[in-house]
């Protein structure tokens, strides 16, 4: 009915405009009224007869104009009446629309009330295990389907992290995207194959591959995965102006620029609340996704943490305990190589993001602010990429020997609350400084050391640390005074099957940045 009346109004308006047009054409084009010549109207020779009939000359023309004006005025009055009729119909139409809307709202409200569960009367208790149920009808209300949250963390997630931290994984609504940083390695296929193989859910773990360099062969490899991944490309491939002595470091400048662009895409364009970053030369462990999902609420709830890393810098065969794949630590050294951060941290870092050497920049006290990361005993990533801007630095000596975990650990079923700052520090300090103090020579002399450990080897200077680290086979470099994998200055590893703590004297307070 509403559509029909609307059509009538439109037709009326159209007829009104058409009638005016026809009227004007008629008035301008019709022959003059009076005595017409034999030729009729405007034919040649009729002019004289027309002038004779109207009194001739200008007076006849003026009279005709006046007569035309009167006819137009009458016609305008008629059309004014038509417009009033159209307006009255329109008012009725609007009233009808409002009535229909009110009726629809009333109907929806009634339907919503019908869907509400009925009040269930209190049932009398017969005993501890039996309840009398007499003629009681209970409405069953189904929970709404879970909706994936790809933006900010919900209040439920935050509450979950506060109340259930370490006991189980976060709410299944939390989406944890994986950002793969790629450039010109076609071997990115190896990394993507493992990610897709072990990924438990496409919806909860979207894979975003961000490519720099514009390398077409690599782009084709990434494109071959179709909808399994999202492929984005860094638009700025230009050379970056650097000072002359940094020309050989051009690659590090481009990497920093790419990281900044890619992380802005994840957090600002895609609006995710967290991300796990891997590079195109990393292979992941079977429980890679489980590991990050379980540790997400720890990161969310503990302000003394700023990242979760899948990497152990001293994770070589012989330095880790193969029987404890579930063992996790806090570390003051930023590990990278498969790591999680929150959107809030990126909002803090992005405005001052460096032009180059972003990973070492992250290790500066101004950025770290005494915050720590969590890292595993056995790495959940391993690198297979010797080729890169670092020209294989550390690869042949250390990285190629990193042990990748092969045993699936159900971290989301474990209580991980021991990793929370205050609790961890108390237990860690007690464990380290109650360990028997020995000399490095005791470890090197077979059979002279009794017991299974743990044992403590003490250092008190930068050079002392480096000498002991080399003798014990762990990495000896320091960044802003922090040793790799160190926590409160302590480096934990295995030597000849015994747990060793390479530690500063008891009472440690802070790192000395001059040790770098």
């Amino acid at each position: 009915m509403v559509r029909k009346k609307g059509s009538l109004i439109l037709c009326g308006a159209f007829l009104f405009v058409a009638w005016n047009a026809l009227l004007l054409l008629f008035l301008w084009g019709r022959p003059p009224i009076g005595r017409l010549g034999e030729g009729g109207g405007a034919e040649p020779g009729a002019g004289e007869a027309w002038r004779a009939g109207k009194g001739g000359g200008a007076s006849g023309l003026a009279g005709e104009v006046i007569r035309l004006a009167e006819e137009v005025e009458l016609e305008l009055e008629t059309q004014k009446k038509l417009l009033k009729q159209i307006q009255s119909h329109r008012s009725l139409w609007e009233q009808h629309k409002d009535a229909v809307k009110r009726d629809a709202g009333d109907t929806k409200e009634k339907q919503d009330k019908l869907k509400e569960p009925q009040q269930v009367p209190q049932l009398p208790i017969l005993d501890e295990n039996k309840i009398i149920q007499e003629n009681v009808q209970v409405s069953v209300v189904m929970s709404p389907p879970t909706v994936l949250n790809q933006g900010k963390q919900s209040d439920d997630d935050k509450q979950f992290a506060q109340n259930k931290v370490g006991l189980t994984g976060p709410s299944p609504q939390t989406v944890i995207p994986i950002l793969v940083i790629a450039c010109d390695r076609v071997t990115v296929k190896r990394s993507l194959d493992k990610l897709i193989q072990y990924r438990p859910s496409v919806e909860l773990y979207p894979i975003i591959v961000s490519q720099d360099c514009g390398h077409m062969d690599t782009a084709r490899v990434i494109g071959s995965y179709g909808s399994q991944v999202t492929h984005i490309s860094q638009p700025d491939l230009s050379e970056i102006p650097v000072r002359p002595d940094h020309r050989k470091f051009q690659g590090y400048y481009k990497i920093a620029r790419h990281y900044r662009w890619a992380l802005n895409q994840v957090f600002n364009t895609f609006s995710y609340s967290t991300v796990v970053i891997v590079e195109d030369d990393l292979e992941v462990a079977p429980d890679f996704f489980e590991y990050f999902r379980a540790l997400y609420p720890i990161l969310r709830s503990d302000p003394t943490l700023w990242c979760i890393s899948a990497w152990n810098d001293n994770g070589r065969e012989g330095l880790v305990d193969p029987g404890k794949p579930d063992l996790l630590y806090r570390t003051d050294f930023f590990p990278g190589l498969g790591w999680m951060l929150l959107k809030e941290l990126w909002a803090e870092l992005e405005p001052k993001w460096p032009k180059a050497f972003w990973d070492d920049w992250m290790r500066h006290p101004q950025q770290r602010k005494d915050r720590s990361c969590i890292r595993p005993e056995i790495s959940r990533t391993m690198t297979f990429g010797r080729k890169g801007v670092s020209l294989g630095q550390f690869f042949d000596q250390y990285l190629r020997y990193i042990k990748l975990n092969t045993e699936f650990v159900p971290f989301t079923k474990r209580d991980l609350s021991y990793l929370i700052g205050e609790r961890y520090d108390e237990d860690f300090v007690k464990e380290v400084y109650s360990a028997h103090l020995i000399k490095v020579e005791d470890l090197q002399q077979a059979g002279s050391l009794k017991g299974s450990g743990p044992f403590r080897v003490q250092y008190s200077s930068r050079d002392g640390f480096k000498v002991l680290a080399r003798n014990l086979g762990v990495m000896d470099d320091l960044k802003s005074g922090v040793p790799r994998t160190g926590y409160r200055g302590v480096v934990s590893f295995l030597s000849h099957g015994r747990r060793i703590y390479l530690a500063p004297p008891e009472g440690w307070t802070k790192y000395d940045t001059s040790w770098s």
Side-chain angles (χ1 to χ4, degrees):
M1 184 66 181
V2 174
R3 291 183 177 177
K4 185 175 180 181
K5 289 195 174 184
S7 300
L8 288 173
I9 292 170
L10 293 174
C11 288
F14 175 77
L15 290 174
F16 171 76
V17 174
W19 172 252
N20 275 299
L22 290 173
L23 177 63
L24 289 174
L25 289 173
F26 171 75
L27 291 175
W28 282 107
R30 71 175 184 172
I33 300 173
R35 287 167 39 185
L36 301 179
E38 294 179 354
E43 289 292 324
E48 294 180 1
W50 179 67
R51 284 192 295 272
K54 295 301 293 182
S59 61
L61 178 61
E64 182 64 12
V65 169
I66 292 171
R67 186 191 57 76
L68 286 174
E70 290 173 349
E71 289 182 5
V72 169
E73 184 177 359
L74 290 174
E75 190 60 35
L76 286 175
E77 285 294 327
T78 303
Q79 292 177 17
K80 185 176 180 181
K81 292 178 182 179
L82 287 174
L83 282 174
K84 287 182 178 180
Q85 291 179 5
I86 291 173
Q87 188 173 5
S88 65
H89 281 293
R90 182 176 180 179
S91 300
L92 292 173
W93 182 42
E94 293 293 341
Q95 291 174 8
H96 181 73
K97 280 175 61 180
D98 293 338
V100 170
K101 287 181 179 179
R102 285 195 300 270
D103 292 341
D106 293 341
T107 302
K108 186 177 185 301
E109 184 177 355
K110 291 178 182 178
Q111 290 175 348
D112 291 341
K113 288 182 178 180
L114 289 174
K115 290 180 181 179
E116 294 178 358
Q118 301 299 316
Q119 191 72 22
V120 181
Q122 184 69 34
L123 300 178
I125 299 177
L126 186 62
D127 55 36
E128 292 183 354
N129 301 315
K130 295 181 180 180
I131 297 178
I132 298 175
Q133 298 180 343
E134 296 180 356
N135 300 324
V136 178
Q137 295 181 352
V138 181
S139 297
V140 179
V141 181
M142 302 299 293
S143 299
T146 299
V147 179
L148 296 179
N149 175 19
Q150 296 185 359
K152 296 182 179 179
Q153 185 196 29
S154 67
D155 292 337
D156 291 340
D157 284 350
K158 294 178 181 178
Q159 189 64 38
F160 182 93
Q162 293 171 0
N163 297 337
K164 300 293 184 180
V165 63
L167 299 179
T168 62
S171 165
Q173 292 181 340
T174 304
V175 176
I176 304 178
I178 312 299
L179 174 63
V180 181
I181 300 292
C183 182
D184 59 355
R185 291 189 180 107
V186 294
T187 51
V188 66
K189 184 179 189 312
R190 178 174 171 181
S191 179
L192 292 176
D193 283 346
K194 289 298 182 181
L195 284 169
I196 292 171
Q197 177 184 346
Y198 296 135
R199 176 170 60 173
S201 167
V202 175
E203 292 78 17
L204 293 179
Y205 305 97
I207 298 173
I208 303 169
V209 186
S210 180
Q211 187 188 0
D212 200 359
C213 308
H215 191 251
M216 293 308 299
D217 289 340
T218 302
R220 278 190 286 270
V221 170
I222 299 168
S224 68
Y225 288 88
S227 61
Q228 295 182 93
V229 305
T230 299
H231 184 192
I232 60 177
S233 297
Q234 150 76 308
D236 187 359
L237 304 180
S238 63
E239 293 295 307
I240 300 175
V242 299
R243 62 179 194 254
D245 60 328
H246 269 212
R247 287 173 184 168
K248 61 182 178 180
F249 300 129
Q250 178 77 210
Y252 289 100
Y253 282 82
K254 290 183 177 180
I255 288 173
R257 178 177 67 184
H258 185 197
Y259 263 81
R260 185 177 204 161
W261 180 83
L263 286 169
N264 276 329
Q265 292 297 302
V266 169
F267 290 125
N268 300 330
T269 301
F270 294 112
S271 298
Y272 289 115
S273 62
T274 186
V275 70
V276 176
I277 305 170
V278 298
E279 296 182 355
D280 56 0
D281 62 345
L282 291 181
E283 182 178 322
V284 302
D287 58 354
F288 174 86
F289 294 93
E290 175 81 358
Y291 174 78
F292 282 106
R293 179 153 293 277
L295 289 169
Y296 171 82
I298 302 283
L299 179 63
R300 176 64 69 183
S301 63
D302 187 351
T304 67
L305 292 172
W306 71 328
C307 90
I308 308 295
S309 176
W311 180 259
N312 177 1
D313 278 295
N314 289 315
R316 298 170 59 186
E317 292 275 4
L319 296 179
V320 295
D321 190 343
K324 294 184 177 180
D326 59 340
L327 187 57
L328 306 177
Y329 297 88
R330 291 173 69 102
T331 178
D332 296 323
F333 189 90
F334 172 72
L337 295 175
W339 60 289
M340 172 190 280
L341 75 157
L342 301 176
K343 185 174 185 177
E344 292 82 354
L345 178 63
W346 180 241
E348 172 191 327
L349 298 178
E350 196 273 340
K352 55 180 179 176
W353 190 251
K355 294 182 178 179
F357 311 110
W358 70 269
D359 48 350
D360 281 345
W361 176 84
M362 291 275 290
R363 293 160 183 149
H364 292 170
Q366 295 86 346
Q367 278 64 252
R368 190 172 72 83
K369 297 180 179 178
D370 293 326
R371 293 173 291 192
S372 305
C373 296
I374 293 175
R375 59 98 175 169
E377 169 78 357
I378 304 177
S379 290
R380 264 57 188 187
T381 57
M382 63 166 287
T383 179
F384 54 82
R386 187 179 187 279
K387 171 192 171 184
V389 293
S390 63
L391 301 178
Q393 182 184 19
F394 294 129
F395 184 86
D396 292 330
Q397 188 177 359
Y398 293 103
L399 303 183
R400 65 183 298 179
Y401 301 108
I402 295 293
K403 177 179 173 61
L404 180 68
N405 181 62
T406 57
E407 179 182 341
F408 186 93
V409 178
F411 284 110
T412 57
K413 304 297 190 294
R414 304 291 177 86
D415 181 358
L416 303 179
S417 59
Y418 69 91
L419 293 165
I420 297 296
E422 292 183 3
R423 177 178 171 184
Y424 185 90
D425 286 358
E426 182 179 352
D427 294 341
F428 183 77
V429 170
K430 183 178 179 180
E431 169 77 9
V432 170
Y433 291 99
S434 64
H436 183 57
L437 181 63
I438 63 171
K439 296 181 179 180
V440 70
E441 291 80 12
D442 297 330
L443 287 170
Q444 295 172 340
Q445 296 172 6
S448 64
L449 189 63
K450 304 300 181 182
S452 59
F455 298 102
R456 175 164 51 99
V457 176
Q458 185 168 293
Y459 69 90
S460 56
S461 67
R462 174 184 179 274
D463 293 338
F465 171 81
K466 285 184 169 290
V467 169
L468 290 172
R470 289 168 188 162
N471 285 331
L472 293 169
V474 297
M475 297 186 76
D476 67 343
D477 61 321
L478 303 102
K479 303 289 185 179
S480 297
V482 184
R484 290 184 184 267
T485 75
Y487 186 70
R488 298 179 61 89
V490 179
V491 176
S492 175
F493 57 96
L494 285 192
S495 178
H496 302 290
R498 297 181 174 95
R499 177 61 58 185
I500 304 298
Y501 297 117
L502 180 57
E506 192 171 2
W508 177 95
T509 56
K510 64 178 181 178
Y511 293 103
D512 186 342
T513 55
S514 69
W515 285 21
S516 298

